[in-house]
Each structure stands twice: as structure tokens, then as C-alpha cells.
Amino acid sequence: MGFLVMRLFLILCLGLVTCERTGFLKKEAFATVPELITSAGYPIEKHRVTTEDGYILQMHRIPAGRRTARKAGFSAKGKKAVLIVHGLLGSSGDFVIMGPERSLAYLLADEGYDVWLGNQRGNVYTAHVNYTKSNPRFWNYSFHEHGKYDVPAMVDKILNVTGVPKVMYVGYSMGTTSFFVMMSERPEYNDKVISFVALAPAVYLSNIKFLATATLKTLELPERMRSQGMISVSVTRDLLDLVVGRLCFRGKVEDDLCMRVVYLIVGDDYEQYDKDKIIVTLARAQPASWRQLEHFGKIAISDVFTSWEDGLWGRVKPYNISNVKVPVTLLYGHNDQLTEKNEIMRLAEELSATGTLEEVRPACDWPKFNHLDFAFAKDVGILLNKPLVGYINTLFNKYGPK
Ligand SMILES: *[C@@H]1O[C@H](CO)[C@@H](O)[C@H](O)[C@H]1NC(C)=O
Ligand SMILES: *[C@@H]1O[C@H](CO)[C@@H](O)[C@H](O)[C@H]1NC(C)=O
Ligand SMILES: *[C@@H]1O[C@H](CO)[C@@H](O)[C@H](O)[C@H]1NC(C)=O
Ligand SMILES: *[C@@H]1O[C@H](CO)[C@@H](O)[C@H](O)[C@H]1NC(C)=O
């Protein structure tokens, strides 16, 4: 009895602490992407795409910059279209969350681009015509399906709405994986893309072989989680309150256990750590399928950019990188431990052999630039995005429709 009371007391205390700490998360953490864009003063359009296999994806379009949008009767007609595709656990929000002056989507829109932010199946802006997210069938996919169905459908949508013949594709991390899968499986899409800018491309991953083997072979994590009824990789509000409110982000970043674990995986960069934004980003983290992790694991363990087909331990069947026909730029972070320079150089060699490598180089000079910095570095505006907008201008001039 005493034990029960004590437990009740404990639960109550924890509850109170959790509730009190919930206020800790800014409103920004829960605003939708269209709300964020509107409050930043930019125009926003939502577009719905349905893929061949029944997934419904919401795209977010910023058709003009802040100044242009205030003029009466502005039109995005004939503007240069850019599609930006997010990475694992991400969404369209990753390219606006740092706000004007820093986020890529806003900088491009202010420069006169017609900016389209994609959402790949799995995140909050996606659904299925027949399955809800509590149906395990919803989660039966990896970036193979992102590349084969989602990205092509989004490209077609942009061409259809804007009437332009081709788009510029910018991918971040898994958003680059989808691109390579798309071109391997559906090479006809080369005709719809001007050029491809790959931020921290995730194609070869032998550097995380140990992590993948430990997670998938030794611990059999996805199998165990599935058998526990956890049908997707997701961060629940409870877990978030616990982690964000009570375990992490309490003192200096150097002493923060949670950030140290994160930095172990993505590379440490204490100076570019923006505490407010990291918390918001964590709160906005999107679900993934176990298959996505397993598929990356298969690539890491086999050391081949392989399709899934026969499952984790089944036959390896390489995607065809020589199907990429458009100019590709690969940008790596000096201190990115997840998509490491060496692995990216290997991809660069292959693209170079088929004549499609435009350039491979560091994203910026900052020696600590890590995997997350591509989206969330404190100085991502000056370090990466402002020069990148200039570079995209150059690509358009060189390869864009005349
Ligand atoms: C959805 O369900 C309908 C009716 O059962 C079926 O005809 C259709 O093929 C399903 N679509 C997908 C993509 O599963
Ligand atoms: C998942 O999809 C594959 C085809 O991509 C299919 O062969 C398999 O049966 C599906 N599994 C489940 C559990 O729906
Ligand atoms: C867009 O799609 C609609 C319906 O599928 C089609 O009728 C229309 O011609 C397309 N427009 C362009 C510009 O491709
Ligand atoms: C890969 O694509 C290239 C060019 O698109 C083609 O010549 C080659 O046969 C393909 N390789 C395989 C294994 O399908």
C-alpha cells in the first residue's frame, strides 16, 4: 500500500514537472509549415499530389519573396522552379525553420525563385488513400518508394502547375538518396531536371557499418520494436516532454549528454549549436518507417548502393548510378560523421566516370560543419545558404532552359 501511494505520488510529481516544462517548448515547435511561412511574411500555397501507389503528399510552395508578394497581382508564371527535398525524420519545415536571412527556402524566394518544398511519405504532411498511419501497411516503404513514386510525382506536379519544362533539384541527406533512386528506376526523369545539388548525399555509408550491424544484426532493433507493436519510428509527445523537458538541454551544451550522443553520430559542432532551434527541431522531428533504417543498414553493411527487394540479408542489387544524366554537385561537411567525405568522394568518382559530376567540394570552410549544420547551423545563412543561392543562379544560367 505504502508502495502504491509512493508510486502515485511519484507519477503526480513527474506529471507536474512535465507539465510545467511543456511551456518550455516555443509555439514555433508546433506551428505547421504554412503557418511558419505566413508568419515570416511570405506567400504560401499548398498542393496535393497522389502517387501511383496511393500516398497523398502535401507540397509547400513559396511562389515569391517578401517584397514581390506585397505588390498587387504578382505572378509566379515562368519563374525558375526549385524543388527542395528533406532528409530522414524531416519535412518541408527544415528549410524554413531558421527563418528569413538564414533558411534556404526564403533566400531563394527573395532571389526570385519559385520554391517548392517536398514532403515524402511518412511525415505529418502525408497520408494514404486507403491506410491510416495506424495500419502497418502504411509503413511498408523505404526511400526506394520515395525515389520511385514520391519524388517523380512531385516533379510532375511542379511542371504541371507552373508550365516550366524542368526544375532544379536540391536534396538534403535522404532527399539525395531519393534522387539517385528516382534516376536509377525512372531515368526518363532526367528530362525534367535541370541540375541536382546534393547536400550531404547519403549513398555510400560504409563508415556506419558498425552502427548498422550493431543495431540490425546484434540488437535486431526493428524486429523487436515491431514485435512490441511499434509500427513506425516515432517520437511521441510523452517521450519528447521527458527528453526535452527533463533529461536534455539543461546546462551548457558541452555537458549535455543528449547532444553528445547526437554529436557522436553526426559530428560535433558546439559553436554552430543554436539551442532554441535544436529544441524546436527535435520537437518537429517526423516519424520514419523501420524499413528506411533497415534499407540504409543494408547499404552500410553490404557497402553497395543496393535496392531492398530481397530484404535485409537478401540478395544485393545495385541501383544504377550511371542512369543519372544531369549535372550533379556534391557538397560535404568537413566534420560530418554520418555522410562522410570519403564516402562522398567515392560517389563523386563514379559520377565523374559517367561525366555527370559538376563539382564536389566542402559545403563551406567551417572545419566543424556536421550533418545537421546543413539545415540547422546557427550561421547556416552565411556559411552555406547565401553562397548556395549564388551557385544555383550559376547552374540555372549554365543549364537552365534558354
Ligand atoms: C484502395 O482501395 C480501393 C478499394 O478497395 C482499391 O480499389 C484501390 O486499389 C486501393 N488503392 C491503393 C493504392 O491501395
Ligand atoms: C510490403 O510491400 C511489398 C511490395 O513492395 C509486398 O511484397 C509485401 O507483401 C508488403 N508487406 C506488407 C506487410 O504489406
Ligand atoms: C496538368 O494536368 C492536367 C490533368 O492531369 C492536364 O489536363 C493538364 O494538361 C496538365 N497541364 C500541364 C501544363 O501539363
Ligand atoms: C545502367 O545504366 C546505363 C546507362 O543508363 C546502362 O548503359 C547500363 O546498362 C545500366 N546498367 C545496368 C546494370 O542496368
Side-chain angles (χ1 to χ4, degrees), residues 10 13-19 21-22 24 238-250 258:
L10 206 69
C13 286
L14 281 179
L16 281 177
V17 174
T18 311
C19 296
R21 285 238 149 206
T22 308
F24 189 57
D238 292 350
L239 185 66
L240 192 69
D241 281 343
L242 183 75
V243 172
V244 174
R246 300 183 351 91
L247 295 177
C248 301
F249 310 109
R250 307 211 71 167
C258 300

Side-chain angles (χ1 to χ4, degrees), residues 53-54 128-131:
D53 59 343
H128 189 274
V129 290
N130 292 338
Y131 314 137

Side-chain angles (χ1 to χ4, degrees), residues 210-250:
F210 176 78
L211 184 69
T213 310
T215 316
L216 302 176
K217 195 167 188 173
T218 316
L219 296 174
E220 296 181 317
L221 195 71
E223 273 317 308
R224 275 170 203 247
M225 290 301 182
R226 279 197 200 99
S227 67
Q228 299 275 316
M230 203 170 157
I231 59 172
S232 67
V233 186
S234 54
V235 182
T236 63
R237 267 309 291 278
D238 292 350
L239 185 66
L240 192 69
D241 281 343
L242 183 75
V243 172
V244 174
R246 300 183 351 91
L247 295 177
C248 301
F249 310 109
R250 307 211 71 167

Side-chain angles (χ1 to χ4, degrees), residues 320 322-323 325:
N320 193 345
S322 25
N323 271 351
K325 305 291 183 202

